[in-house]
Amino acid sequence: MDIRIDNEIFQKLKLIKIEQFKENNQTIKFNHKIYRLLIKKLRRHFHRQQLAKERDEKIRLEEIQRDNDPLYQAWIIQKENLRIQKEIEEEQENEKSRKLREQMEIKKQEQLRKNIEEKQKVTNINSSTHNPFVSIPIANGPSIERPVCSFYLKTGVCRYNERCRRTHNKPDITDTLLAVNMYSNFEMQYGLDEEYDLDIGLEFEETERYENFKDFYYDVLPEFERFGRVIMFKVCSNSEIHLRGNVYVQYETDYQAMQAYKALNTRYYAGRMVQCEFVNIPSWSTAICGLSQFGKCSKGRRCNYLHVFRNPPLKSIEKDKKSTRKHKRSKSRDRSTKRKKHHHHHHHS
Ligand SMILES: [Zn+2]
Ligand SMILES: [Zn+2]
């Protein structure tokens, strides 16, 4: 604080106070005693002012100090953060209750819609003798086009048989006969094969099972060959019931297949009745599981495509040279016929 300025102010104020007193108290003679009283009063006033100033200054300094105090600053920041946190929480709370109200509104509307539908169902049932859950009756107008069953289309069989929801276009007479479940071995007969996921398809060669299949092959193929040349002979090793032990026999003509059907259907083989069907196999490569041929089908013998035994080389081909010559002209993917050629050639050399 500048004392000089204060003194100047004090001197000026002193003079003003004296003049004021003289003016206000003209009847009183101004003397030294009055002068000292005025000074004393003025000094007290100044002193009080000074104290107040100092006090204010002290508070101001304290405030500055406090504002610069890192602890104070930290506290302020904490307080501010708390305030923000609280605001966020309040906002979230508002959002939550808003969503809850929305959901409740949706549920209410859904319930309302359900109630209306329920009422409509009841009126439908009452107004009609038809079961509302059954689609348009077949007798009523043109039948609805159902998608074609791809399993039946490719393999001639389907696990659902007549119950399949897709269309099975049953052919009347074709060049291919299917003897349903005709082949059976001990394991297949007692369902033991289902316990194993081993694929006994083309890879299978040296076990009893293959020997069993070979016996069947050499026993049955000549029976079918009595009616015409067999260009494809496939026996399924699948464990699925609709494919299990299925024997596919493709002739050169529909006529040959029909002759075989007439002679063999409902006949008995190995104590079991032979059931034959005409099937249409558009492509053997799509009917037969491609992966099974490399032993890589993940479904194993539960596969819905044909898993077939590898046909053994033919034994008695030399007795029918004509058919072999015919075969040379026809194009075939069958491995058995290729082997047929080899075998035949071998016999001649
Ligand atoms: Zn089907
Ligand atoms: Zn397969």
Side-chain angles (χ1 to χ4, degrees):
M1 192 180 290
D2 201 325
I3 289 159
R4 192 182 57 81
I5 291 169
D6 271 349
N7 282 345
E8 250 175 55
I9 293 164
F10 184 80
Q11 291 307 317
K12 272 181 189 170
L13 268 172
K14 189 180 80 184
L15 289 174
I16 291 163
K17 288 283 171 187
I18 291 165
E19 282 309 304
Q20 272 178 352
F21 183 84
K22 276 179 181 172
E23 229 176 278
N24 294 334
N25 307 285
Q26 281 176 0
T27 50
I28 300 166
K29 201 185 180 302
F30 192 77
N31 57 25
H32 194 69
K33 197 186 168 184
I34 292 163
Y35 172 79
R36 268 193 287 139
L37 275 169
L38 274 174
I39 295 292
K40 218 178 173 179
K41 202 181 168 185
L42 199 63
R43 280 222 173 99
R44 268 208 306 273
H45 171 74
F46 254 75
H47 187 66
R48 277 201 304 272
Q49 259 196 342
Q50 198 57 42
L51 281 176
K53 256 188 186 174
E54 278 173 10
R55 199 178 59 234
D56 287 351
E57 187 65 11
K58 204 184 161 194
I59 288 164
R60 203 175 64 82
L61 280 169
E62 271 175 3
E63 273 179 0
I64 291 164
Q65 249 182 339
R66 190 193 63 188
D67 288 352
N68 289 327
D69 185 355
L71 270 172
Y72 177 74
Q73 283 171 355
W75 183 73
I76 288 290
I77 290 164
Q78 204 183 9
K79 214 170 93 176
E80 188 63 13
N81 284 345
L82 270 167
R83 189 184 61 78
I84 291 164
Q85 183 72 27
K86 223 178 161 187
E87 267 178 20
I88 291 167
E89 274 169 11
E90 272 172 19
E91 190 58 38
Q92 284 174 339
E93 206 58 41
N94 285 343
E95 186 66 13
K96 241 192 225 169
S97 57
R98 193 183 60 78
K99 274 185 181 165
L100 207 72
R101 278 199 306 274
E102 267 183 16
Q103 280 174 351
M104 273 163 77
E105 191 56 39
I106 289 166
K107 268 184 189 169
K108 240 164 90 182
Q109 284 182 359
E110 260 176 29
Q111 193 55 46
L112 203 72
R113 193 174 51 77
K114 267 185 195 166
N115 287 346
I116 290 163
E117 278 178 4
E118 212 62 44
K119 271 179 195 167
Q120 280 174 343
K121 264 186 200 168
V122 168
T123 52
N124 281 349
I125 289 162
N126 290 343
S127 67
S128 168
T129 51
H130 292 300
N131 185 342
F133 299 105
V134 170
S135 53
I136 312 155
I138 295 148
N140 224 354
S143 64
I144 309 128
E145 200 64 42
R146 285 185 303 175
V148 171
C149 174
S150 70
F151 286 112
Y152 188 85
L153 184 75
K154 287 170 183 167
T155 65
V157 289
C158 164
R159 62 161 65 248
Y160 300 113
N161 294 318
E162 316 294 325
R163 291 174 292 113
C164 187
R165 294 195 305 175
R166 289 166 185 264
T167 305
H168 292 184
N169 287 317
K170 273 205 170 168
D172 35 7
I173 295 170
T174 65
D175 61 3
T176 306
L177 269 190
L178 163 61
V180 183
N181 307 139
M182 188 182 181
Y183 173 67
S184 189
N185 58 28
F186 182 81
E187 291 163 311
M188 287 163 97
Q189 208 168 333
Y190 297 98
L192 297 169
D193 55 328
E194 287 190 77
E195 287 176 31
Y196 310 98
D197 252 343
L198 291 163
D199 196 296
I200 54 162
L202 294 167
E203 304 270 72
F204 190 93
E205 289 208 56
E206 288 158 9
T207 72
E208 249 180 83
R209 268 178 285 180
Y210 194 62
E211 287 304 314
N212 183 289
F213 165 70
K214 267 163 80 177
D215 289 344
F216 174 82
Y217 180 85
Y218 291 129
D219 192 26
V220 161
L221 182 60
E223 281 297 307
F224 283 103
E225 282 179 326
R226 276 167 48 209
F227 311 97
R229 205 179 71 79
V230 171
I231 60 168
M232 189 62 89
F233 187 84
K234 289 292 176 197
V235 179
C236 293
S237 63
N238 300 64
S239 61
E240 290 297 302
I241 193 68
H242 67 293
L243 283 167
R244 187 185 294 181
N246 278 5
V247 178
Y248 288 83
V249 187
Q250 187 179 13
Y251 289 96
E252 282 178 313
T253 65
D254 293 5
Y255 178 78
Q256 293 167 343
M258 200 181 71
Q259 293 301 106
Y261 180 88
K262 280 201 272 186
L264 302 173
N265 190 38
T266 69
R267 282 261 308 277
Y268 277 80
Y269 177 79
R272 285 142 55 93
M273 194 171 79
V274 178
Q275 267 186 290
C276 290
E277 283 176 17
F278 290 102
V279 290
N280 186 30
I281 305 295
S283 156
W284 288 105
S285 63
T286 56
I288 294 165
C289 174
L291 290 166
S292 73
Q293 300 181 59
F294 311 105
K296 282 186 175 151
C297 177
S298 62
K299 292 189 180 80
R301 282 179 291 148
R302 289 186 182 86
C303 186
N304 278 310
Y305 292 104
L306 314 189
H307 281 209
V308 294
F309 287 100
R310 189 180 65 76
N311 287 343
L314 285 177
K315 267 178 179 173
S316 53
I317 200 74
E318 59 268 27
K319 74 182 178 188
D320 189 2
K321 285 170 190 171
K322 262 189 194 170
S323 69
T324 320
R325 245 178 265 128
K326 262 186 197 168
H327 162 69
K328 275 177 181 171
R329 272 185 269 122
S330 71
K331 216 174 106 187
S332 176
R333 286 173 299 245
D334 192 3
R335 286 176 72 172
S336 74
T337 50
K338 274 180 198 161
R339 285 187 174 258
K340 213 190 233 174
K341 254 196 255 178
H342 266 283
H343 201 76
H344 183 68
H345 188 70
H346 191 71
H347 270 262
H348 275 267
S349 60

